Amino acid sequence: AQEQQITPNIILKPQYMYSKHYNAPFYNFDTIDNSIDYFQVHEASLNIRFSYKEEISNSHFRRMYIDTRYPVVHLNVNEGMFFYNNQSGTYTKFRLVAKHNILVGVGKLKYVVETGYTMGDVPFPLIEYMRGNEIGASGEYYFNLMKYMEFSADRFVNVFAEYGLQGYIFNKIPLIKKLYLREIMTCKLSWGDMTQTHSNIFPVPKFTKTPTKPYIEAGLGVSNIFRLFRVEYVWRLNYLDEPDVLKHGLFFSFRFEF
């Protein structure tokens, strides 16, 4: 990988990657005759980071991004080729990510929107799998009540939004206000579609669904507990009839607040 700063607000990062993808112990991707143990991938990518009027500090070989009132955007383009046995194929992936912090009323809204598209049939491990979470700890950019490999798509949009009230309620309660607790509300959404015939290569797992109806979960919580902990109660708002899913739950995480 090589990083090149074109201007203070435009950074290019070209990269080449070679990888081998082996069968996972819980699922064999070659379910037809089990004759394939792995497939290989050669991939070249270019990531473009763009920020507008962002304050940047460069010192002691470190770059620090300080603040901007505008979205920070990443565009990533991947051109790849995969091989298994005597078969091969090519694909192109596009991903666009925008991150933004906005002061709204008494609090601050933080959101991340990511969208992507895979052109060409690929082995299903190369499809976009929505980031599920089964470890019990809260993940900022994970769907906390989604199982691993529950949803996948080759054309998708994910939204992660958090609204913090900056202690607007807790600061009005005697004694409690001395703890500097902060109220948070979160909402996460995933929508996608499967536009290619990826099962022509390896059968896509039958237990994996495509979120043609947006998957949504929402949460309420408290952050800045001892300036270190965060607790959040999360509800899964749809796809409730799927087997063995958690419909709600309490999640903890470590996160420094300043």
PDB file of all heavy atoms in Angstrom, residues 13-30:
ATOM      1  N   LYS A  13      -4.790   6.413  -1.798  1.00  0.00           N
ATOM      2  CA  LYS A  13      -4.111   5.250  -1.234  1.00  0.00           C
ATOM      3  C   LYS A  13      -4.309   4.058  -2.156  1.00  0.00           C
ATOM      4  O   LYS A  13      -5.291   3.325  -2.043  1.00  0.00           O
ATOM      5  CB  LYS A  13      -4.644   4.938   0.164  1.00  0.00           C
ATOM      6  CG  LYS A  13      -3.866   3.831   0.869  1.00  0.00           C
ATOM      7  CD  LYS A  13      -4.386   3.615   2.293  1.00  0.00           C
ATOM      8  CE  LYS A  13      -3.593   2.527   3.002  1.00  0.00           C
ATOM      9  NZ  LYS A  13      -4.090   2.307   4.390  1.00  0.00           N
ATOM     10  N   PRO A  14      -3.385   3.816  -3.108  1.00  0.00           N
ATOM     11  CA  PRO A  14      -3.463   2.608  -3.930  1.00  0.00           C
ATOM     12  C   PRO A  14      -2.923   1.405  -3.148  1.00  0.00           C
ATOM     13  O   PRO A  14      -2.048   1.550  -2.280  1.00  0.00           O
ATOM     14  CB  PRO A  14      -2.575   2.945  -5.133  1.00  0.00           C
ATOM     15  CG  PRO A  14      -1.605   3.934  -4.602  1.00  0.00           C
ATOM     16  CD  PRO A  14      -2.305   4.710  -3.519  1.00  0.00           C
ATOM     17  N   GLN A  15      -3.440   0.225  -3.475  1.00  0.00           N
ATOM     18  CA  GLN A  15      -3.042  -0.966  -2.721  1.00  0.00           C
ATOM     19  C   GLN A  15      -3.219  -2.208  -3.575  1.00  0.00           C
ATOM     20  O   GLN A  15      -4.152  -2.300  -4.378  1.00  0.00           O
ATOM     21  CB  GLN A  15      -3.886  -1.075  -1.451  1.00  0.00           C
ATOM     22  CG  GLN A  15      -3.586  -2.281  -0.583  1.00  0.00           C
ATOM     23  CD  GLN A  15      -4.348  -2.244   0.717  1.00  0.00           C
ATOM     24  OE1 GLN A  15      -4.168  -1.353   1.543  1.00  0.00           O
ATOM     25  NE2 GLN A  15      -5.232  -3.206   0.899  1.00  0.00           N
ATOM     26  N   TYR A  16      -2.314  -3.174  -3.396  1.00  0.00           N
ATOM     27  CA  TYR A  16      -2.464  -4.487  -4.020  1.00  0.00           C
ATOM     28  C   TYR A  16      -2.526  -5.534  -2.915  1.00  0.00           C
ATOM     29  O   TYR A  16      -1.780  -5.448  -1.922  1.00  0.00           O
ATOM     30  CB  TYR A  16      -1.297  -4.801  -4.955  1.00  0.00           C
ATOM     31  CG  TYR A  16      -1.254  -6.264  -5.351  1.00  0.00           C
ATOM     32  CD1 TYR A  16      -2.117  -6.761  -6.320  1.00  0.00           C
ATOM     33  CD2 TYR A  16      -0.373  -7.139  -4.720  1.00  0.00           C
ATOM     34  CE1 TYR A  16      -2.091  -8.103  -6.658  1.00  0.00           C
ATOM     35  CE2 TYR A  16      -0.344  -8.484  -5.044  1.00  0.00           C
ATOM     36  CZ  TYR A  16      -1.213  -8.960  -6.021  1.00  0.00           C
ATOM     37  OH  TYR A  16      -1.208 -10.289  -6.342  1.00  0.00           O
ATOM     38  N   MET A  17      -3.394  -6.531  -3.081  1.00  0.00           N
ATOM     39  CA  MET A  17      -3.555  -7.550  -2.053  1.00  0.00           C
ATOM     40  C   MET A  17      -3.726  -8.922  -2.700  1.00  0.00           C
ATOM     41  O   MET A  17      -4.434  -9.067  -3.710  1.00  0.00           O
ATOM     42  CB  MET A  17      -4.773  -7.250  -1.177  1.00  0.00           C
ATOM     43  CG  MET A  17      -4.999  -8.254  -0.045  1.00  0.00           C
ATOM     44  SD  MET A  17      -6.536  -7.939   0.875  1.00  0.00           S
ATOM     45  CE  MET A  17      -7.761  -8.399  -0.365  1.00  0.00           C
ATOM     46  N   TYR A  18      -3.043  -9.903  -2.132  1.00  0.00           N
ATOM     47  CA  TYR A  18      -3.239 -11.301  -2.522  1.00  0.00           C
ATOM     48  C   TYR A  18      -3.719 -12.058  -1.295  1.00  0.00           C
ATOM     49  O   TYR A  18      -3.182 -11.864  -0.188  1.00  0.00           O
ATOM     50  CB  TYR A  18      -1.941 -11.923  -3.034  1.00  0.00           C
ATOM     51  CG  TYR A  18      -2.014 -13.426  -3.155  1.00  0.00           C
ATOM     52  CD1 TYR A  18      -2.702 -14.026  -4.207  1.00  0.00           C
ATOM     53  CD2 TYR A  18      -1.422 -14.251  -2.203  1.00  0.00           C
ATOM     54  CE1 TYR A  18      -2.786 -15.399  -4.313  1.00  0.00           C
ATOM     55  CE2 TYR A  18      -1.493 -15.626  -2.298  1.00  0.00           C
ATOM     56  CZ  TYR A  18      -2.183 -16.197  -3.360  1.00  0.00           C
ATOM     57  OH  TYR A  18      -2.271 -17.565  -3.453  1.00  0.00           O
ATOM     58  N   SER A  19      -4.718 -12.913  -1.456  1.00  0.00           N
ATOM     59  CA  SER A  19      -5.248 -13.638  -0.306  1.00  0.00           C
ATOM     60  C   SER A  19      -5.748 -15.008  -0.730  1.00  0.00           C
ATOM     61  O   SER A  19      -6.067 -15.250  -1.900  1.00  0.00           O
ATOM     62  CB  SER A  19      -6.381 -12.854   0.363  1.00  0.00           C
ATOM     63  OG  SER A  19      -7.441 -12.635  -0.554  1.00  0.00           O
ATOM     64  N   LYS A  20      -5.805 -15.917   0.248  1.00  0.00           N
ATOM     65  CA  LYS A  20      -6.407 -17.228   0.084  1.00  0.00           C
ATOM     66  C   LYS A  20      -7.579 -17.343   1.048  1.00  0.00           C
ATOM     67  O   LYS A  20      -7.458 -16.984   2.225  1.00  0.00           O
ATOM     68  CB  LYS A  20      -5.393 -18.343   0.386  1.00  0.00           C
ATOM     69  CG  LYS A  20      -4.425 -18.649  -0.736  1.00  0.00           C
ATOM     70  CD  LYS A  20      -3.579 -19.878  -0.390  1.00  0.00           C
ATOM     71  CE  LYS A  20      -2.657 -20.255  -1.554  1.00  0.00           C
ATOM     72  NZ  LYS A  20      -1.859 -21.467  -1.242  1.00  0.00           N
ATOM     73  N   HIS A  21      -8.697 -17.829   0.561  1.00  0.00           N
ATOM     74  CA  HIS A  21      -9.893 -17.987   1.383  1.00  0.00           C
ATOM     75  C   HIS A  21     -10.182 -19.478   1.540  1.00  0.00           C
ATOM     76  O   HIS A  21     -10.555 -20.152   0.577  1.00  0.00           O
ATOM     77  CB  HIS A  21     -11.082 -17.280   0.727  1.00  0.00           C
ATOM     78  CG  HIS A  21     -10.889 -15.803   0.580  1.00  0.00           C
ATOM     79  ND1 HIS A  21     -11.554 -14.880   1.364  1.00  0.00           N
ATOM     80  CD2 HIS A  21     -10.081 -15.073  -0.248  1.00  0.00           C
ATOM     81  CE1 HIS A  21     -11.186 -13.663   1.022  1.00  0.00           C
ATOM     82  NE2 HIS A  21     -10.302 -13.753   0.045  1.00  0.00           N
ATOM     83  N   TYR A  22     -10.004 -19.985   2.762  1.00  0.00           N
ATOM     84  CA  TYR A  22     -10.218 -21.394   3.048  1.00  0.00           C
ATOM     85  C   TYR A  22     -11.634 -21.614   3.575  1.00  0.00           C
ATOM     86  O   TYR A  22     -12.278 -20.692   4.093  1.00  0.00           O
ATOM     87  CB  TYR A  22      -9.208 -21.889   4.083  1.00  0.00           C
ATOM     88  CG  TYR A  22      -7.796 -21.994   3.561  1.00  0.00           C
ATOM     89  CD1 TYR A  22      -6.938 -20.901   3.605  1.00  0.00           C
ATOM     90  CD2 TYR A  22      -7.326 -23.179   3.023  1.00  0.00           C
ATOM     91  CE1 TYR A  22      -5.641 -20.983   3.121  1.00  0.00           C
ATOM     92  CE2 TYR A  22      -6.020 -23.282   2.533  1.00  0.00           C
ATOM     93  CZ  TYR A  22      -5.191 -22.181   2.592  1.00  0.00           C
ATOM     94  OH  TYR A  22      -3.911 -22.264   2.109  1.00  0.00           O
ATOM     95  N   ASN A  23     -12.083 -22.861   3.474  1.00  0.00           N
ATOM     96  CA  ASN A  23     -13.377 -23.224   4.037  1.00  0.00           C
ATOM     97  C   ASN A  23     -13.401 -22.938   5.535  1.00  0.00           C
ATOM     98  O   ASN A  23     -12.477 -23.311   6.257  1.00  0.00           O
ATOM     99  CB  ASN A  23     -13.666 -24.709   3.809  1.00  0.00           C
ATOM    100  CG  ASN A  23     -14.206 -24.980   2.419  1.00  0.00           C
ATOM    101  OD1 ASN A  23     -15.139 -24.328   1.982  1.00  0.00           O
ATOM    102  ND2 ASN A  23     -13.617 -25.940   1.721  1.00  0.00           N
ATOM    103  N   ALA A  24     -14.462 -22.300   5.967  1.00  0.00           N
ATOM    104  CA  ALA A  24     -14.643 -22.096   7.405  1.00  0.00           C
ATOM    105  C   ALA A  24     -15.116 -23.406   8.034  1.00  0.00           C
ATOM    106  O   ALA A  24     -15.789 -24.203   7.388  1.00  0.00           O
ATOM    107  CB  ALA A  24     -15.664 -20.998   7.654  1.00  0.00           C
ATOM    108  N   PRO A  25     -14.754 -23.650   9.309  1.00  0.00           N
ATOM    109  CA  PRO A  25     -15.149 -24.922   9.940  1.00  0.00           C
ATOM    110  C   PRO A  25     -16.659 -25.086  10.078  1.00  0.00           C
ATOM    111  O   PRO A  25     -17.150 -26.208  10.163  1.00  0.00           O
ATOM    112  CB  PRO A  25     -14.466 -24.856  11.316  1.00  0.00           C
ATOM    113  CG  PRO A  25     -14.194 -23.403  11.545  1.00  0.00           C
ATOM    114  CD  PRO A  25     -13.941 -22.819  10.194  1.00  0.00           C
ATOM    115  N   PHE A  26     -17.405 -23.962  10.091  1.00  0.00           N
ATOM    116  CA  PHE A  26     -18.853 -24.060  10.290  1.00  0.00           C
ATOM    117  C   PHE A  26     -19.631 -24.097   8.976  1.00  0.00           C
ATOM    118  O   PHE A  26     -20.843 -24.314   8.986  1.00  0.00           O
ATOM    119  CB  PHE A  26     -19.346 -22.875  11.136  1.00  0.00           C
ATOM    120  CG  PHE A  26     -18.975 -21.530  10.586  1.00  0.00           C
ATOM    121  CD1 PHE A  26     -19.771 -20.911   9.642  1.00  0.00           C
ATOM    122  CD2 PHE A  26     -17.819 -20.893  10.998  1.00  0.00           C
ATOM    123  CE1 PHE A  26     -19.418 -19.677   9.116  1.00  0.00           C
ATOM    124  CE2 PHE A  26     -17.465 -19.661  10.481  1.00  0.00           C
ATOM    125  CZ  PHE A  26     -18.270 -19.055   9.537  1.00  0.00           C
ATOM    126  N   TYR A  27     -18.938 -23.846   7.833  1.00  0.00           N
ATOM    127  CA  TYR A  27     -19.668 -23.881   6.569  1.00  0.00           C
ATOM    128  C   TYR A  27     -18.691 -24.081   5.418  1.00  0.00           C
ATOM    129  O   TYR A  27     -17.721 -23.338   5.275  1.00  0.00           O
ATOM    130  CB  TYR A  27     -20.469 -22.591   6.342  1.00  0.00           C
ATOM    131  CG  TYR A  27     -21.425 -22.707   5.177  1.00  0.00           C
ATOM    132  CD1 TYR A  27     -22.668 -23.297   5.346  1.00  0.00           C
ATOM    133  CD2 TYR A  27     -21.066 -22.262   3.906  1.00  0.00           C
ATOM    134  CE1 TYR A  27     -23.550 -23.434   4.283  1.00  0.00           C
ATOM    135  CE2 TYR A  27     -21.932 -22.394   2.838  1.00  0.00           C
ATOM    136  CZ  TYR A  27     -23.178 -22.980   3.035  1.00  0.00           C
ATOM    137  OH  TYR A  27     -24.039 -23.121   1.978  1.00  0.00           O
ATOM    138  N   ASN A  28     -18.959 -25.098   4.596  1.00  0.00           N
ATOM    139  CA  ASN A  28     -18.125 -25.387   3.437  1.00  0.00           C
ATOM    140  C   ASN A  28     -18.669 -24.620   2.244  1.00  0.00           C
ATOM    141  O   ASN A  28     -19.809 -24.832   1.828  1.00  0.00           O
ATOM    142  CB  ASN A  28     -18.137 -26.893   3.164  1.00  0.00           C
ATOM    143  CG  ASN A  28     -17.087 -27.305   2.148  1.00  0.00           C
ATOM    144  OD1 ASN A  28     -16.892 -26.627   1.142  1.00  0.00           O
ATOM    145  ND2 ASN A  28     -16.413 -28.416   2.399  1.00  0.00           N
ATOM    146  N   PHE A  29     -17.866 -23.716   1.668  1.00  0.00           N
ATOM    147  CA  PHE A  29     -18.416 -22.915   0.575  1.00  0.00           C
ATOM    148  C   PHE A  29     -18.624 -23.738  -0.695  1.00  0.00           C
ATOM    149  O   PHE A  29     -19.410 -23.363  -1.566  1.00  0.00           O
ATOM    150  CB  PHE A  29     -17.564 -21.676   0.276  1.00  0.00           C
ATOM    151  CG  PHE A  29     -16.097 -21.896   0.067  1.00  0.00           C
ATOM    152  CD1 PHE A  29     -15.625 -22.649  -0.986  1.00  0.00           C
ATOM    153  CD2 PHE A  29     -15.180 -21.316   0.923  1.00  0.00           C
ATOM    154  CE1 PHE A  29     -14.273 -22.819  -1.199  1.00  0.00           C
ATOM    155  CE2 PHE A  29     -13.822 -21.486   0.730  1.00  0.00           C
ATOM    156  CZ  PHE A  29     -13.360 -22.240  -0.331  1.00  0.00           C
ATOM    157  N   ASP A  30     -17.934 -24.848  -0.831  1.00  0.00           N
ATOM    158  CA  ASP A  30     -18.165 -25.727  -1.977  1.00  0.00           C
ATOM    159  C   ASP A  30     -19.089 -26.852  -1.529  1.00  0.00           C
ATOM    160  O   ASP A  30     -18.657 -27.922  -1.112  1.00  0.00           O
ATOM    161  CB  ASP A  30     -16.838 -26.283  -2.490  1.00  0.00           C
ATOM    162  CG  ASP A  30     -17.027 -27.273  -3.636  1.00  0.00           C
ATOM    163  OD1 ASP A  30     -18.100 -27.227  -4.272  1.00  0.00           O
ATOM    164  OD2 ASP A  30     -16.122 -28.080  -3.878  1.00  0.00           O
TER     165      ASP A  30
END
